[in-house]
């Protein structure tokens, strides 16, 4: 059986972030909310497998949306927990390479902190503020995530992609995306896809 998603334990006790974050919210947040994302991601994978075997009829769009929402919640929370430490170990300002890079890319820790706080405070609805490293420009950048969908893209290596924006097919297939999708299988470069897979650690 394939490996499934699992809830990682907290790297400290539920009450260790007090007085800043209560034991009660840490318990609910980890044991209920994060667990629900893990369960939801595994349930979506199971539904997709059953549908492939013909054991279940599913709405692929809805199940993939569920999968993204839940696996992304799982990934982000798995980063969020160890991103925190009990007061004394946590807090203050960074040192080492991180401090150097923050100085270089944000013009100082205070400026970084102000902009990150601003990002967090202005996320529309539920979401996240994130500090990321962009491989292409080799620099640190900020981003806001509304809800949490599609952040798994940062963790998962893309092997094969199909652009279904209208600009990719409209001149050839007008509004018939299905026809374009079927035709596209004739031009897939499987050895490129395979070489991408072989670079995965
Ligand atoms: Mn959460």
């Amino acid at each position: 059986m394939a490996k499934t998603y699992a809830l990682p334990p907290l790297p400290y006790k539920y009450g260790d972030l007090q007085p800043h974050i209560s034991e009660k919210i840490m318990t609910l947040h980890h044991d209920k909310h994060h667990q629900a994302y893990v369960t939801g991601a595994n349930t979506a994978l199971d539904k997709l497998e059953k549908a492939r075997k013909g054991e279940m009829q599913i709405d692929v769009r809805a199940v993939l949306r569920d999968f993204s929402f839940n696996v992304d919640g799982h990934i982000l929370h798995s980063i969020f927990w160890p991103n925190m430490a009990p007061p004394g170990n946590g807090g203050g300002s960074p040192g080492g390479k991180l401090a150097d890079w923050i100085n270089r890319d944000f013009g100082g820790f205070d400026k970084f902190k102000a902009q990150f706080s601003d990002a967090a405070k202005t996320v529309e609805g539920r979401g996240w503020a994130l500090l990321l490293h962009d491989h292409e420009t080799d620099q640190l950048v900020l981003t806001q995530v509304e809800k949490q969908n599609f952040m798994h893209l940062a963790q998962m290596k893309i092997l094969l992609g199909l652009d279904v924006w209208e600009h990719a097919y409209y001149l050839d297939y007008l509004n018939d995306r299905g026809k374009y999708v079927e035709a596209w299988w004739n031009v897939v470069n499987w050895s490129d896809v395979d070489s991408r897979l072989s670079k995965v650690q």
Side-chain angles (χ1 to χ4, degrees), residues 138-153:
D138 196 29
Q139 64 175 310
L140 302 179
V141 292
L142 297 178
T143 196
Q144 291 180 320
V145 183
E146 290 174 24
K147 292 190 184 165
Q148 60 207 14
N149 274 11
F150 310 118
M151 291 316 295
H152 59 280
L153 294 177

Side-chain angles (χ1 to χ4, degrees), residues 29 33-34 37 77 80-81 128 148:
H29 199 173
H33 293 274
H34 189 165
Y37 294 136
H77 286 85
F80 183 58
W81 309 129
W128 295 77
Q148 60 207 14

Side-chain angles (χ1 to χ4, degrees), residues 78-89:
S78 298
I79 295 166
F80 183 58
W81 309 129
N83 269 174
M84 299 185 287
N89 292 327

Side-chain angles (χ1 to χ4, degrees), residues 184-198:
W184 177 79
W185 289 109
N186 295 307
V187 295
V188 173
N189 180 353
W190 291 113
S191 69
D192 176 68
V193 181
D194 184 54
S195 78
R196 289 174 192 283
L197 178 60
S198 69

Side-chain angles (χ1 to χ4, degrees), residues 83-143:
N83 269 174
M84 299 185 287
N89 292 327
S93 56
K97 182 179 176 179
L98 179 59
D100 294 342
W101 281 48
I102 284 175
N103 287 333
R104 186 193 69 187
D105 296 340
F106 293 95
F109 177 67
D110 290 344
K111 288 181 179 138
F112 158 75
K113 193 175 169 184
Q115 206 164 61
F116 188 95
S117 298
D118 233 13
K121 290 170 189 170
T122 59
V123 172
E124 282 195 68
R126 298 166 291 168
W128 295 77
L130 302 174
L131 170 66
L132 306 170
H133 171 259
D134 185 339
H135 290 288
E136 182 163 345
T137 59
D138 196 29
Q139 64 175 310
L140 302 179
V141 292
L142 297 178
T143 196

Side-chain angles (χ1 to χ4, degrees), residues 29-92:
H29 199 173
H30 179 268
D31 292 9
K32 301 294 181 193
H33 293 274
H34 189 165
Q35 177 64 61
Y37 294 136
V38 169
T39 305
N42 289 330
T43 300
L45 280 184
D46 187 54
K47 281 182 183 169
L48 290 162
E49 187 188 348
K50 287 200 168 92
R52 287 192 294 270
K53 289 179 178 163
E55 296 167 5
M56 189 187 235
Q57 287 262 318
I58 60 164
D59 174 347
V60 170
R61 179 171 176 243
V63 176
L64 288 181
R65 182 172 290 186
D66 252 17
F67 176 65
S68 170
F69 178 77
N70 285 293
V71 76
D72 293 358
H74 168 53
I75 288 169
L76 288 168
H77 286 85
S78 298
I79 295 166
F80 183 58
W81 309 129
N83 269 174
M84 299 185 287
N89 292 327

